[in-house]
Amino acid sequence: QNPTNPTNPTNSTNSTNPPNPPNPPNPTNRTIPNNIKIKGGDQTNYVKTGNGIVCDRDTAGPWENFKIDNYGNNIISLKGGREGKYCAYDGNKIICDRDAVGPWEKFKYEYLNGDIISLKSENSLRYCSDDEKNVLCNAETIGSKEKFYISP
């Protein structure tokens, strides 16, 4: 007899199926951490604040840190590291020069995979993209340039 199952004379184990694992959390319901660094679409360079935000830094320092304010429903505002100002899409580029948050300073995010997110301007209602010179919010769909990698 099988010592692990005395009613089963063979060495095979009881063939009951294990319970189904719980469903993973819905990634779109994840909240972005309060302080992050962001890399552009090619995951090579960090986003920095300056005269607009640009993905051109190899390492992350104070200018590459963003404070996040979460408003619920996947809506956030970004506060840039250089001058500690809120970022807004002004119709041309994202610039971090605002003292307060209004509709132009809000962005909708969506987790796509792991720590990859998309951002959509609440002003233009278009996806933001890394165009190598500035971060623009003028894309209708998500492609490789519309994906941003976040880390604490």
Side-chain angles (χ1 to χ4, degrees), residues 1 8 11 13 26 34 41-42 44 65 70-71 87-89 94 131 139 142 147 150:
Q1 282 191 339
N8 184 352
N11 284 335
T13 61
N26 183 346
N34 291 336
D42 63 1
T44 303
N65 288 302
N70 283 288
Y71 299 97
C87 305
Y89 182 63
I94 296 178
D131 84 340
I142 299 172
K147 295 177 182 177
I150 63 170

Side-chain angles (χ1 to χ4, degrees), residues 71 75-76 101-108 120-123:
Y71 299 97
I75 304 292
I76 60 168
V101 176
W104 289 38
E105 291 77 28
K106 291 184 178 177
F107 298 85
K108 187 170 189 88
K120 185 185 266 189
S121 166
E122 286 288 280
N123 176 28

Side-chain angles (χ1 to χ4, degrees), residues 60-115:
W63 288 16
E64 294 75 36
N65 288 302
F66 290 85
K67 182 180 181 312
I68 303 297
D69 291 336
N70 283 288
Y71 299 97
N73 296 321
N74 291 17
I75 304 292
I76 60 168
S77 63
L78 301 162
K79 199 173 204 181
R82 179 178 178 192
E83 296 177 12
K85 302 276 187 168
Y86 287 101
C87 305
Y89 182 63
D90 69 2
N92 188 31
K93 61 185 174 184
I94 296 178
I95 188 160
C96 302
D97 64 352
R98 308 296 172 93
D99 292 322
V101 176
W104 289 38
E105 291 77 28
K106 291 184 178 177
F107 298 85
K108 187 170 189 88
Y109 70 89
E110 179 181 345
Y111 273 96
L112 303 173
N113 185 13
D115 290 328

Side-chain angles (χ1 to χ4, degrees), residues 14-87:
N14 196 349
S15 64
T16 60
N17 292 329
N20 290 331
N23 290 331
N26 183 346
T28 60
N29 291 336
R30 286 177 55 193
T31 302
I32 292 182
N34 291 336
N35 293 291
I36 61 169
K37 296 165 193 69
I38 305 170
K39 283 189 175 182
D42 63 1
Q43 198 180 356
T44 303
N45 294 310
Y46 286 96
V47 175
K48 74 155 178 154
T49 60
N51 184 18
I53 64 172
V54 182
C55 304
D56 69 351
R57 293 294 174 108
D58 295 331
T59 59
W63 288 16
E64 294 75 36
N65 288 302
F66 290 85
K67 182 180 181 312
I68 303 297
D69 291 336
N70 283 288
Y71 299 97
N73 296 321
N74 291 17
I75 304 292
I76 60 168
S77 63
L78 301 162
K79 199 173 204 181
R82 179 178 178 192
E83 296 177 12
K85 302 276 187 168
Y86 287 101
C87 305

